């Protein structure tokens, strides 16, 4: 088998017939230990042929995975220049994840409504990748949480720093993990935004509640609390009046989320 054959097959792996090409590539690699040994000798490498073959297989598989994700992006973002997307993704710090993982995160972001130029989308993906590593959470769950907040609050890719700061503060000040928070915050973001609760207020309230209860319960309680003020039931209104609490959207807006939480704690907390 000539060395040029291996090069040709490796290039073919990037085509639409990548799967079949890779199978052929793997078969010929398994039969080429002699050639691999000669290449290593010429390069002065002190590795066994099996190690080189294994490395080449992994490299080919990684390339195929990356190309699949790029084609996925192209399938929903036809206006983007795929060559620019590829170039920008490959320029990201490798510590943020593999090229395929980053491409998959970009696909998720775009499908969630995030828009921008090729450079802006990749930069956004990189920033969310940094956040996921900083709070020790998965890349896709973090992207899911960030984009849920963006959609709820009408944010754009340029607002990612503001959202990241909120995440950092909740994990730092609260008693929660980045993973737990990322997996739950989306369920209250829409309710909070519709009630006029700011992102900072939401983060502060979430951090406070997680110091006394599990994250999922804290977020569920927070959602229920906000809903009680914007859509109070007759029974809840009567109970609130008993304690001298004004239970309506106007009270939430004037006192703020932290204010109504403090009032509830002082008037009802010990009863």
């Amino acid at each position: 088998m000539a060395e040029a054959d291996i090069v040709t097959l490796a290039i073919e792996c990037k085509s639409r017939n990548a799967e079949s090409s890779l199978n052929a590539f793997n078969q010929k690699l398994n039969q080429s230990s002699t050639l691999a040994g000669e290449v290593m000798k010429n390069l002065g490498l002190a590795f066994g042929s099996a190690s080189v073959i294994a490395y080449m297989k992994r490299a080919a598989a990684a390339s195929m995975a990356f190309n699949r994700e790029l084609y996925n992006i192209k399938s929903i973002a036809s206006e983007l220049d795929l060559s620019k997307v590829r170039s920008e993704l490959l320029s990201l710090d490798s510590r943020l994840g593999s090229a395929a993982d980053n491409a998959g995160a970009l696909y998720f972001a775009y499908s969630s409504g995030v828009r921008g130029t090729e450079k802006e989308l990749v930069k956004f993906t990189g920033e969310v990748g940094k956040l996921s590593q900083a709070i020790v959470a998965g890349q896709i769950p973090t992207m899911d949480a960030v984009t849920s907040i963006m959609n709820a609050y009408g944010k754009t890719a340029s607002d990612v720093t503001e959202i990241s700061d909120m995440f950092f503060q909740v994990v730092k000040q609260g008693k929660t993990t980045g993973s737990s928070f990322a997996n739950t915050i989306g369920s209250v973001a829409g309710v909070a935004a519709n009630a006029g609760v700011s992102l900072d207020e939401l983060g502060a309230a979430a951090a406070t509640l997680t110091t006394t209860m599990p994250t999922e319960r804290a977020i569920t309680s927070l959602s229920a609390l906000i809903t009680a003020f914007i859509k109070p039931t007759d029974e809840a209104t009567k109970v609130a009046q008993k304690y001298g609490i004004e239970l309506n959207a106007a009270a939430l807006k004037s006192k703020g989320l932290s204010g109504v939480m403090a009032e509830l704690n002082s008037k009802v907390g010990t009863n």
Side-chain angles (χ1 to χ4, degrees), residues 238-246 263-264 267-269 271:
K238 290 180 181 178
V239 173
Q241 289 174 342
K242 174 183 176 182
Y243 291 100
I245 297 172
E246 187 180 2
E263 182 178 31
L264 286 169
K267 293 182 177 180
V268 184
N271 293 288

Side-chain angles (χ1 to χ4, degrees), residues 89 92-103 129-130 132-133 139:
L89 283 169
L92 288 178
D93 191 328
S94 61
R95 289 174 295 183
L96 297 179
S98 70
D101 288 341
N102 289 327
K130 292 176 184 177
S132 71
Q133 292 202 344
Q139 194 172 20

